[in-house]
Coordinates of all heavy atoms in Angstrom, one line a residue:
M1 N 0.0 -6.4 7.3 CA -0.1 -6.6 8.7 C 1.2 -6.2 9.4 O 2.3 -6.5 8.9 CB -0.2 -8.1 9.0 CG -1.6 -8.7 8.5 SD -2.8 -8.2 9.7 CE -3.6 -9.8 10.0
R2 N 1.1 -5.4 10.5 CA 2.2 -5.0 11.2 C 2.6 -6.2 12.1 O 1.8 -6.8 12.8 CB 1.8 -3.8 12.1 CG 3.0 -3.2 12.8 CD 2.6 -1.9 13.4 NE 1.4 -1.9 14.2 CZ 0.7 -0.8 14.5 NH1 1.1 0.4 14.0 NH2 -0.4 -0.9 15.2
E3 N 3.9 -6.7 12.0 CA 4.3 -7.9 12.6 C 4.3 -7.8 14.2 O 4.1 -8.9 14.8 CB 5.7 -8.3 12.2 CG 6.8 -7.4 12.6 CD 8.2 -7.8 12.2 OE1 8.5 -7.5 11.0 OE2 8.9 -8.4 13.0
F4 N 4.4 -6.6 14.7 CA 4.4 -6.5 16.2 C 3.1 -6.8 16.9 O 3.1 -7.4 18.0 CB 5.0 -5.1 16.6 CG 6.2 -4.8 15.9 CD1 6.3 -3.9 14.8 CD2 7.4 -5.4 16.3 CE1 7.4 -3.6 14.2 CE2 8.6 -5.1 15.6 CZ 8.6 -4.2 14.6
D5 N 2.0 -6.4 16.3 CA 0.7 -6.5 16.9 C -0.4 -7.0 16.0 O -1.5 -7.0 16.3 CB 0.3 -5.2 17.6 CG 0.2 -4.1 16.6 OD1 0.4 -4.3 15.4 OD2 -0.2 -3.0 17.1
Q6 N 0.0 -7.4 14.8 CA -0.9 -7.9 13.7 C -2.0 -6.9 13.3 O -3.1 -7.3 12.9 CB -1.6 -9.2 14.2 CG -0.6 -10.3 14.6 CD 0.4 -10.6 13.5 OE1 0.0 -10.9 12.4 NE2 1.7 -10.4 13.8
K7 N -1.7 -5.6 13.4 CA -2.6 -4.5 13.0 C -2.7 -4.6 11.5 O -1.8 -4.5 10.7 CB -2.1 -3.2 13.4 CG -2.8 -2.0 12.8 CD -4.2 -1.9 13.3 CE -4.9 -0.7 12.7 NZ -6.3 -0.7 12.8
N8 N -4.0 -4.8 11.0 CA -4.3 -4.8 9.6 C -4.6 -3.4 9.2 O -5.5 -2.7 9.7 CB -5.5 -5.7 9.4 CG -5.8 -5.9 7.9 OD1 -5.5 -5.0 7.1 ND2 -6.4 -7.0 7.5
F9 N -3.8 -2.9 8.2 CA -4.0 -1.5 7.7 C -4.9 -1.4 6.5 O -4.9 -0.3 5.9 CB -2.6 -0.9 7.4 CG -1.9 -0.4 8.6 CD1 -1.2 -1.3 9.4 CD2 -1.9 0.9 8.9 CE1 -0.5 -0.8 10.5 CE2 -1.3 1.4 10.0 CZ -0.6 0.6 10.8
A10 N -5.7 -2.4 6.2 CA -6.5 -2.4 5.0 C -7.5 -1.2 5.0 O -7.6 -0.5 4.0 CB -7.3 -3.7 4.8
E11 N -8.1 -0.9 6.1 CA -9.1 0.2 6.1 C -8.3 1.6 6.0 O -8.8 2.5 5.4 CB -10.0 0.2 7.3 CG -11.0 -0.9 7.2 CD -11.9 -1.0 8.4 OE1 -11.8 -0.2 9.4 OE2 -12.9 -1.8 8.4
I12 N -7.2 1.7 6.7 CA -6.4 2.9 6.6 C -5.9 3.1 5.1 O -6.0 4.2 4.6 CB -5.2 2.8 7.5 CG1 -5.7 2.8 9.0 CG2 -4.2 4.0 7.3 CD1 -4.7 2.4 10.0
D13 N -5.4 2.0 4.5 CA -5.0 2.1 3.1 C -6.2 2.5 2.2 O -6.0 3.3 1.3 CB -4.5 0.8 2.6 CG -3.1 0.4 3.2 OD1 -2.5 1.4 3.8 OD2 -2.7 -0.7 3.2
A14 N -7.4 2.0 2.5 CA -8.6 2.3 1.7 C -8.9 3.8 1.9 O -9.3 4.5 0.9 CB -9.8 1.5 2.1
G15 N -8.7 4.3 3.1 CA -8.9 5.8 3.3 C -7.9 6.6 2.6 O -8.3 7.7 2.0
I16 N -6.7 6.2 2.5 CA -5.7 6.9 1.7 C -6.1 6.9 0.2 O -6.1 8.0 -0.5 CB -4.3 6.3 1.9 CG1 -3.8 6.5 3.3 CG2 -3.3 6.9 0.9 CD1 -2.6 5.7 3.7
V17 N -6.5 5.8 -0.3 CA -6.9 5.7 -1.7 C -8.1 6.5 -1.9 O -8.2 7.3 -3.0 CB -7.2 4.2 -2.1 CG1 -7.9 4.1 -3.4 CG2 -5.9 3.4 -2.1
A18 N -9.1 6.5 -1.0 CA -10.3 7.3 -1.2 C -10.0 8.8 -1.2 O -10.5 9.6 -2.0 CB -11.3 7.0 0.0
T19 N -9.0 9.2 -0.4 CA -8.6 10.6 -0.4 C -8.0 11.0 -1.8 O -8.3 12.1 -2.3 CB -7.6 10.9 0.7 OG1 -8.2 10.6 2.0 CG2 -7.1 12.3 0.7
Q20 N -7.2 10.1 -2.3 CA -6.6 10.4 -3.6 C -7.7 10.4 -4.7 O -7.6 11.3 -5.7 CB -5.6 9.3 -4.0 CG -4.4 9.4 -3.1 CD -3.6 10.7 -3.1 OE1 -3.4 11.2 -4.2 NE2 -3.3 11.2 -1.9
I21 N -8.7 9.6 -4.6 CA -9.8 9.6 -5.6 C -10.5 11.0 -5.5 O -10.9 11.6 -6.5 CB -10.8 8.4 -5.3 CG1 -10.1 7.1 -5.7 CG2 -12.1 8.7 -6.0 CD1 -10.9 5.9 -5.3
M22 N -10.8 11.4 -4.2 CA -11.5 12.7 -4.1 C -10.6 13.9 -4.7 O -11.2 14.8 -5.3 CB -11.7 13.0 -2.6 CG -12.8 12.0 -2.0 SD -13.1 12.4 -0.3 CE -14.0 13.9 -0.4
L23 N -9.3 13.8 -4.5 CA -8.5 14.9 -5.0 C -8.5 14.8 -6.5 O -8.5 15.9 -7.2 CB -7.0 14.7 -4.5 CG -6.9 15.0 -3.0 CD1 -5.5 14.6 -2.5 CD2 -7.1 16.5 -2.7
A24 N -8.5 13.6 -7.1 CA -8.6 13.5 -8.6 C -9.9 14.1 -9.1 O -9.9 14.7 -10.2 CB -8.4 12.0 -9.0
I25 N -11.0 13.8 -8.4 CA -12.3 14.3 -8.9 C -12.3 15.8 -8.8 O -12.7 16.5 -9.8 CB -13.4 13.8 -7.9 CG1 -13.6 12.2 -8.2 CG2 -14.7 14.5 -8.2 CD1 -14.4 11.5 -7.1
E26 N -11.7 16.4 -7.8 CA -11.7 17.9 -7.6 C -10.7 18.4 -8.7 O -11.0 19.5 -9.3 CB -11.1 18.3 -6.2 CG -12.1 17.9 -5.1 CD -13.3 18.8 -5.0 OE1 -13.2 20.0 -5.5 OE2 -14.3 18.4 -4.5
A27 N -9.6 17.7 -9.0 CA -8.7 18.2 -10.1 C -9.4 18.3 -11.4 O -8.9 19.1 -12.3 CB -7.5 17.3 -10.1
E28 N -10.4 17.5 -11.6 CA -11.1 17.5 -12.9 C -12.2 18.6 -12.9 O -13.0 18.7 -13.9 CB -11.8 16.2 -13.2 CG -10.8 15.1 -13.4 CD -9.9 15.3 -14.7 OE1 -10.5 15.8 -15.7 OE2 -8.7 15.0 -14.6
G29 N -12.3 19.4 -11.9 CA -13.3 20.5 -11.8 C -14.6 20.1 -11.3 O -15.6 20.8 -11.5
L30 N -14.7 18.9 -10.8 CA -16.0 18.4 -10.3 C -16.0 18.4 -8.8 O -15.0 18.7 -8.1 CB -16.2 17.0 -10.8 CG -16.3 16.8 -12.3 CD1 -16.2 15.3 -12.6 CD2 -17.6 17.4 -12.8
G31 N -17.2 18.2 -8.2 CA -17.3 18.2 -6.7 C -17.6 16.8 -6.2 O -18.2 16.0 -7.0
T32 N -17.3 16.5 -5.0 CA -17.7 15.3 -4.4 C -17.6 15.5 -2.8 O -17.2 16.5 -2.3 CB -16.7 14.1 -4.8 OG1 -17.3 12.9 -4.3 CG2 -15.3 14.3 -4.3
T33 N -18.1 14.4 -2.2 CA -18.0 14.4 -0.7 C -17.9 12.9 -0.3 O -18.3 12.1 -1.0 CB -19.1 15.1 0.0 OG1 -18.9 15.3 1.4 CG2 -20.5 14.4 -0.2
W34 N -17.3 12.7 0.9 CA -17.2 11.4 1.4 C -18.6 11.0 2.1 O -19.0 11.7 3.0 CB -16.1 11.3 2.5 CG -15.9 10.0 3.1 CD1 -16.7 9.3 3.9 CD2 -14.7 9.2 3.0 NE1 -16.1 8.2 4.3 CE2 -14.9 8.1 3.8 CE3 -13.5 9.4 2.4 CZ2 -13.9 7.1 3.9 CZ3 -12.5 8.4 2.5 CH2 -12.7 7.3 3.3
V35 N -19.2 9.9 1.6 CA -20.5 9.5 2.2 C -20.2 8.1 2.9 O -19.9 7.2 2.2 CB -21.6 9.4 1.2 CG1 -22.8 8.8 1.8 CG2 -21.8 10.7 0.5
G36 N -20.3 8.1 4.2 CA -20.1 6.9 4.9 C -21.3 6.3 5.5 O -21.4 5.1 5.8
Y37 N -22.4 7.1 5.5 CA -23.7 6.6 6.0 C -24.6 6.2 4.9 O -25.2 7.0 4.2 CB -24.4 7.7 6.9 CG -25.6 7.2 7.6 CD1 -25.6 6.4 8.7 CD2 -26.9 7.5 7.0 CE1 -26.7 6.0 9.3 CE2 -28.0 7.1 7.7 CZ -27.9 6.3 8.8 OH -29.1 5.9 9.4
F38 N -24.5 4.9 4.5 CA -25.3 4.4 3.4 C -25.6 2.9 3.7 O -25.0 2.3 4.5 CB -24.6 4.6 2.1 CG -23.3 3.8 2.0 CD1 -23.3 2.6 1.4 CD2 -22.1 4.3 2.5 CE1 -22.1 1.8 1.3 CE2 -20.9 3.7 2.4 CZ -20.9 2.4 1.8
D39 N -26.6 2.4 3.0 CA -27.1 1.0 3.1 C -26.2 0.2 2.2 O -26.5 0.0 1.0 CB -28.6 1.0 2.7 CG -29.2 -0.4 2.9 OD1 -28.4 -1.4 3.0 OD2 -30.4 -0.5 3.0
A40 N -25.1 -0.4 2.7 CA -24.2 -1.2 1.9 C -24.9 -2.4 1.3 O -24.7 -2.7 0.1 CB -23.0 -1.6 2.7
P41 N -25.7 -3.2 2.0 CA -26.4 -4.3 1.3 C -27.2 -3.8 0.1 O -27.3 -4.5 -0.9 CB -27.2 -4.9 2.4 CG -26.5 -4.6 3.7 CD -26.0 -3.2 3.4
R42 N -27.9 -2.7 0.3 CA -28.7 -2.2 -0.8 C -27.9 -1.8 -2.0 O -28.2 -2.0 -3.2 CB -29.6 -1.0 -0.4 CG -30.5 -0.4 -1.4 CD -31.6 -1.4 -1.8 NE -32.5 -0.7 -2.8 CZ -32.9 -1.2 -3.9 NH1 -32.6 -2.5 -4.2 NH2 -33.7 -0.6 -4.7
A43 N -26.7 -1.1 -1.7 CA -25.8 -0.7 -2.8 C -25.3 -1.9 -3.6 O -25.2 -1.9 -4.8 CB -24.6 0.1 -2.2
K44 N -25.1 -3.0 -2.8 CA -24.6 -4.3 -3.5 C -25.7 -4.9 -4.4 O -25.4 -5.5 -5.4 CB -24.1 -5.3 -2.5 CG -22.8 -4.8 -1.8 CD -22.3 -5.8 -0.8 CE -21.0 -5.4 -0.2 NZ -20.5 -6.4 0.7
E45 N -27.0 -4.7 -3.9 CA -28.1 -5.2 -4.8 C -28.2 -4.4 -6.1 O -28.4 -4.9 -7.1 CB -29.4 -5.0 -4.0 CG -29.7 -6.0 -2.9 CD -31.0 -5.7 -2.2 OE1 -31.8 -5.0 -2.7 OE2 -31.1 -6.2 -1.0
L46 N -28.0 -3.1 -5.9 CA -28.1 -2.2 -7.1 C -26.9 -2.3 -8.0 O -27.0 -2.1 -9.2 CB -28.2 -0.7 -6.6 CG -29.5 -0.4 -5.9 CD1 -29.4 1.0 -5.3 CD2 -30.7 -0.5 -6.8
F47 N -25.7 -2.7 -7.5 CA -24.5 -2.8 -8.2 C -23.9 -4.2 -7.9 O -23.0 -4.3 -7.1 CB -23.5 -1.7 -7.9 CG -24.1 -0.3 -8.2 CD1 -24.6 0.4 -7.2 CD2 -24.1 0.2 -9.5 CE1 -25.2 1.7 -7.4 CE2 -24.6 1.4 -9.8 CZ -25.1 2.2 -8.7
P48 N -24.4 -5.3 -8.5 CA -24.0 -6.6 -8.1 C -22.5 -6.9 -8.4 O -21.9 -7.8 -7.8 CB -24.8 -7.5 -9.0 CG -25.7 -6.7 -9.9 CD -25.5 -5.3 -9.5
E49 N -21.8 -6.1 -9.2 CA -20.4 -6.3 -9.4 C -19.6 -5.9 -8.2 O -18.4 -6.3 -8.1 CB -19.9 -5.4 -10.6 CG -20.1 -3.9 -10.4 CD -21.4 -3.4 -10.9 OE1 -22.4 -4.1 -11.1 OE2 -21.5 -2.1 -11.0
M50 N -20.2 -5.3 -7.2 CA -19.6 -5.0 -5.9 C -19.9 -6.0 -4.8 O -19.6 -5.7 -3.7 CB -20.0 -3.5 -5.5 CG -19.5 -2.5 -6.5 SD -19.7 -0.8 -5.8 CE -21.4 -0.7 -5.3
A51 N -20.6 -7.0 -5.2 CA -21.1 -8.0 -4.1 C -20.0 -8.5 -3.2 O -20.3 -8.7 -2.0 CB -21.9 -9.1 -4.8
E52 N -18.8 -8.7 -3.7 CA -17.8 -9.3 -2.9 C -16.9 -8.3 -2.3 O -15.9 -8.6 -1.6 CB -16.9 -10.2 -3.8 CG -17.6 -11.4 -4.4 CD -18.3 -12.3 -3.4 OE1 -17.7 -12.6 -2.4 OE2 -19.5 -12.6 -3.6
C53 N -17.2 -7.0 -2.4 CA -16.4 -5.9 -1.9 C -16.9 -5.5 -0.5 O -18.1 -5.6 -0.2 CB -16.4 -4.7 -2.8 SG -15.7 -5.0 -4.4
E54 N -16.0 -5.0 0.3 CA -16.4 -4.4 1.6 C -16.5 -2.9 1.3 O -15.5 -2.2 1.1 CB -15.4 -4.7 2.7 CG -15.9 -4.0 4.0 CD -14.9 -4.4 5.2 OE1 -14.0 -5.1 5.0 OE2 -15.1 -3.8 6.2
L55 N -17.7 -2.4 1.3 CA -17.9 -1.0 1.0 C -17.7 -0.1 2.2 O -18.3 -0.3 3.2 CB -19.3 -0.8 0.4 CG -19.7 -1.7 -0.8 CD1 -21.1 -1.4 -1.2 CD2 -18.7 -1.4 -1.9
I56 N -16.8 0.9 2.0 CA -16.6 1.8 3.2 C -17.0 3.2 2.9 O -17.2 4.0 3.8 CB -15.1 1.8 3.6 CG1 -14.2 2.3 2.5 CG2 -14.7 0.4 4.1 CD1 -12.8 2.7 2.9
A57 N -17.2 3.6 1.6 CA -17.6 5.0 1.3 C -18.1 5.1 -0.1 O -17.8 4.2 -0.9 CB -16.4 5.9 1.4
L58 N -19.0 6.1 -0.3 CA -19.5 6.4 -1.6 C -19.1 7.8 -1.9 O -19.0 8.6 -1.0 CB -21.0 6.3 -1.7 CG -21.6 4.9 -1.4 CD1 -23.1 5.0 -1.4 CD2 -21.1 3.9 -2.4
F59 N -18.9 8.1 -3.2 CA -18.5 9.5 -3.6 C -19.4 9.9 -4.7 O -19.2 9.6 -5.9 CB -17.0 9.5 -4.1 CG -16.0 9.0 -3.1 CD1 -15.5 7.8 -3.1 CD2 -15.7 9.9 -2.1 CE1 -14.6 7.4 -2.1 CE2 -14.8 9.5 -1.1 CZ -14.3 8.2 -1.1
P60 N -20.4 10.7 -4.4 CA -21.2 11.3 -5.5 C -20.4 12.3 -6.2 O -19.6 13.0 -5.6 CB -22.4 12.0 -4.7 CG -21.9 12.1 -3.3 CD -20.9 11.1 -3.1
I61 N -20.5 12.3 -7.5 CA -19.7 13.2 -8.4 C -20.6 14.0 -9.2 O -21.6 13.6 -9.8 CB -18.8 12.3 -9.3 CG1 -17.9 11.4 -8.4 CG2 -17.9 13.3 -10.2 CD1 -17.1 10.4 -9.3
G62 N -20.3 15.3 -9.3 CA -21.1 16.2 -10.1 C -20.5 17.6 -10.1 O -19.5 17.9 -9.5
Y63 N -21.2 18.5 -10.8 CA -20.8 19.9 -10.8 C -21.4 20.6 -9.6 O -22.6 20.4 -9.3 CB -21.3 20.6 -12.1 CG -20.6 20.0 -13.4 CD1 -21.2 19.1 -14.2 CD2 -19.3 20.4 -13.7 CE1 -20.5 18.5 -15.3 CE2 -18.6 19.9 -14.8 CZ -19.2 19.0 -15.6 OH -18.6 18.5 -16.6
R64 N -20.6 21.4 -9.0 CA -21.1 22.2 -7.8 C -22.1 23.3 -8.3 O -21.9 23.9 -9.3 CB -19.9 22.9 -7.1 CG -19.0 21.9 -6.5 CD -17.9 22.7 -5.8 NE -16.8 21.9 -5.4 CZ -16.7 21.3 -4.2 NH1 -17.7 21.4 -3.4 NH2 -15.7 20.5 -4.0
A65 N -23.1 23.5 -7.4 CA -23.9 24.7 -7.7 C -23.1 25.9 -7.5 O -22.2 26.0 -6.7 CB -25.1 24.6 -6.7
E66 N -23.4 27.0 -8.3 CA -22.7 28.2 -8.2 C -22.7 28.8 -6.8 O -21.7 29.4 -6.4 CB -23.3 29.2 -9.2 CG -22.9 28.9 -10.6 CD -23.3 30.0 -11.5 OE1 -23.3 31.2 -11.1 OE2 -23.6 29.7 -12.7
N67 N -23.7 28.6 -6.0 CA -23.8 29.1 -4.7 C -23.4 28.1 -3.6 O -23.7 28.4 -2.4 CB -25.2 29.7 -4.4 CG -26.3 28.6 -4.5 OD1 -26.0 27.5 -5.0 ND2 -27.5 28.9 -4.1
A68 N -22.8 27.0 -4.0 CA -22.4 26.0 -3.0 C -21.4 26.5 -2.0 O -20.4 27.2 -2.5 CB -21.9 24.8 -3.7
R69 N -21.6 26.3 -0.8 CA -20.6 26.7 0.3 C -20.5 25.6 1.3 O -21.5 24.9 1.5 CB -21.1 28.0 1.0 CG -21.3 29.2 0.1 CD -19.9 29.8 -0.4 NE -20.1 30.9 -1.2 CZ -20.1 30.8 -2.6 NH1 -19.9 29.7 -3.2 NH2 -20.2 31.9 -3.3
P70 N -19.4 25.5 2.0 CA -19.3 24.6 3.1 C -20.4 24.9 4.2 O -20.8 26.0 4.3 CB -17.9 24.8 3.7 CG -17.2 25.4 2.6 CD -18.2 26.3 1.8
A71 N -20.7 23.9 5.0 CA -21.6 24.1 6.2 C -21.1 25.2 7.0 O -19.9 25.5 7.1 CB -21.7 22.8 7.0
Y72 N -22.0 25.9 7.7 CA -21.6 27.1 8.5 C -20.6 26.9 9.6 O -19.9 27.8 10.0 CB -22.9 27.8 9.1 CG -23.5 27.0 10.3 CD1 -23.2 27.5 11.6 CD2 -24.3 25.9 10.1 CE1 -23.8 26.8 12.7 CE2 -24.9 25.3 11.2 CZ -24.6 25.7 12.4 OH -25.1 25.0 13.5
L73 N -20.5 25.7 10.1 CA -19.5 25.4 11.1 C -18.1 25.0 10.6 O -17.1 24.8 11.3 CB -20.0 24.3 12.1 CG -21.2 24.6 13.0 CD1 -21.6 23.4 13.7 CD2 -20.8 25.7 13.9
H74 N -18.0 24.8 9.3 CA -16.8 24.3 8.6 C -15.6 25.2 8.9 O -14.5 24.7 9.1 CB -17.0 24.2 7.1 CG -15.9 23.7 6.4 ND1 -15.6 22.3 6.4 CD2 -14.9 24.2 5.7 CE1 -14.5 22.1 5.7 NE2 -14.1 23.2 5.2
E75 N -15.7 26.5 9.0 CA -14.6 27.4 9.2 C -14.3 27.7 10.7 O -13.3 28.3 11.0 CB -14.8 28.7 8.4 CG -15.0 28.5 6.9 CD -13.7 28.0 6.3 OE1 -12.6 28.4 6.8 OE2 -13.8 27.3 5.3
Q76 N -15.2 27.3 11.6 CA -15.0 27.6 13.0 C -14.0 26.6 13.5 O -14.0 25.4 13.3 CB -16.3 27.5 13.8 CG -17.3 28.6 13.4 CD -18.5 28.5 14.3 OE1 -18.6 27.7 15.3 NE2 -19.5 29.4 14.1
R77 N -13.0 27.2 14.3 CA -12.0 26.4 14.9 C -11.8 26.7 16.3 O -12.0 27.9 16.8 CB -10.6 26.7 14.2 CG -10.6 26.3 12.7 CD -10.6 24.8 12.5 NE -10.5 24.5 11.1 CZ -11.5 24.1 10.3 NH1 -12.7 24.0 10.9 NH2 -11.4 23.8 9.1
R78 N -11.5 25.7 17.1 CA -11.2 25.9 18.5 C -9.8 26.5 18.6 O -8.9 26.1 17.9 CB -11.4 24.6 19.3 CG -12.8 24.2 19.4 CD -13.0 22.8 20.0 NE -12.5 22.8 21.4 CZ -12.5 21.7 22.1 NH1 -12.9 20.6 21.6 NH2 -12.1 21.8 23.4
P79 N -9.6 27.3 19.6 CA -8.2 27.8 19.8 C -7.2 26.7 20.2 O -7.6 25.7 20.8 CB -8.3 28.8 20.9 CG -9.7 28.9 21.3 CD -10.5 27.9 20.6
M80 N -6.0 26.8 19.7 CA -5.0 25.8 20.0 C -4.8 25.6 21.5 O -4.5 24.4 21.9 CB -3.7 26.1 19.3 CG -3.7 26.0 17.8 SD -4.0 24.3 17.4 CE -2.5 23.9 16.6
S81 N -5.0 26.6 22.2 CA -4.8 26.5 23.7 C -5.8 25.5 24.3 O -5.6 24.9 25.3 CB -5.0 27.9 24.4 OG -6.3 28.4 24.1
E82 N -7.0 25.3 23.6 CA -7.9 24.3 24.1 C -7.6 22.9 23.7 O -8.1 21.9 24.2 CB -9.3 24.7 23.6 CG -10.0 25.9 24.2 CD -11.4 26.1 23.7 OE1 -12.0 25.2 23.3 OE2 -11.8 27.3 23.8
L83 N -6.8 22.8 22.6 CA -6.5 21.5 22.1 C -5.2 20.9 22.5 O -5.0 19.7 22.5 CB -6.5 21.6 20.5 CG -7.8 22.1 19.9 CD1 -7.6 22.3 18.4 CD2 -8.9 21.1 20.2
L84 N -4.2 21.7 22.9 CA -2.9 21.3 23.3 C -2.6 21.6 24.7 O -3.0 22.6 25.3 CB -1.8 22.0 22.4 CG -2.0 21.7 20.9 CD1 -1.0 22.6 20.1 CD2 -1.8 20.3 20.5
E85 N -1.8 20.8 25.3 CA -1.3 21.0 26.6 C 0.2 21.0 26.6 O 0.8 20.0 26.1 CB -1.9 19.9 27.6 CG -1.5 20.1 29.0 CD -2.0 19.0 29.9 OE1 -3.2 18.6 29.7 OE2 -1.3 18.5 30.8
R86 N 0.8 22.0 27.2 CA 2.2 22.0 27.3 C 2.7 21.1 28.4 O 2.1 21.0 29.4 CB 2.7 23.4 27.5 CG 2.5 24.3 26.4 CD 3.2 25.6 26.5 NE 3.2 26.2 25.2 CZ 4.3 26.7 24.7 NH1 5.4 26.7 25.3 NH2 4.2 27.2 23.5
L87 N 3.7 20.3 28.1 CA 4.3 19.4 29.1 C 5.4 20.1 29.9 O 6.1 20.9 29.5 CB 4.8 18.2 28.4 CG 3.8 17.4 27.6 CD1 4.4 16.2 26.9 CD2 2.7 16.9 28.5

């Protein structure tokens, strides 16, 4: 908790840990993606050992298909001039 405004960083810390997990999976030569849209109560039914956890993401793990590519919009970027304003 940040003492000035009582901001709880638990979800931010979880995001940092999740990113490290994803990097470790990739380092092993496997693929994964962050899945945030899932039925958490159902996941807890299927995996009762997680019943007391607050689930924020799932990471499917596997070998990438040889022809796997990012979504077509993945590489498109807006120009910096549209994102930044000089003061």
Side-chain angles (χ1 to χ4, degrees):
M1 294 282 230
R2 187 167 50 199
E3 68 179 82
F4 307 105
D5 59 1
Q6 303 308 301
K7 170 67 178 162
N8 185 332
F9 277 82
E11 288 183 357
I12 295 165
D13 290 342
I16 294 167
V17 169
T19 299
Q20 295 300 313
I21 290 170
M22 291 180 74
L23 291 170
I25 291 166
E26 294 286 337
E28 293 297 320
L30 298 168
T32 189
T33 190
W34 181 296
V35 177
Y37 186 79
F38 63 95
D39 184 342
R42 180 70 176 133
K44 290 179 181 186
E45 286 177 21
L46 294 171
F47 301 96
E49 62 274 13
M50 297 189 308
E52 299 302 316
C53 298
E54 181 177 354
L55 304 179
I56 62 165
L58 298 176
F59 301 100
I61 301 171
Y63 293 100
R64 294 180 191 271
E66 285 187 33
N67 62 347
R69 300 287 180 267
Y72 74 98
L73 292 176
H74 183 77
E75 298 295 328
Q76 291 187 4
R77 299 289 183 256
R78 292 173 63 183
M80 287 298 243
S81 61
E82 289 184 23
L83 303 173
L84 300 174
E85 180 179 322
R86 291 190 164 231
L87 300 177

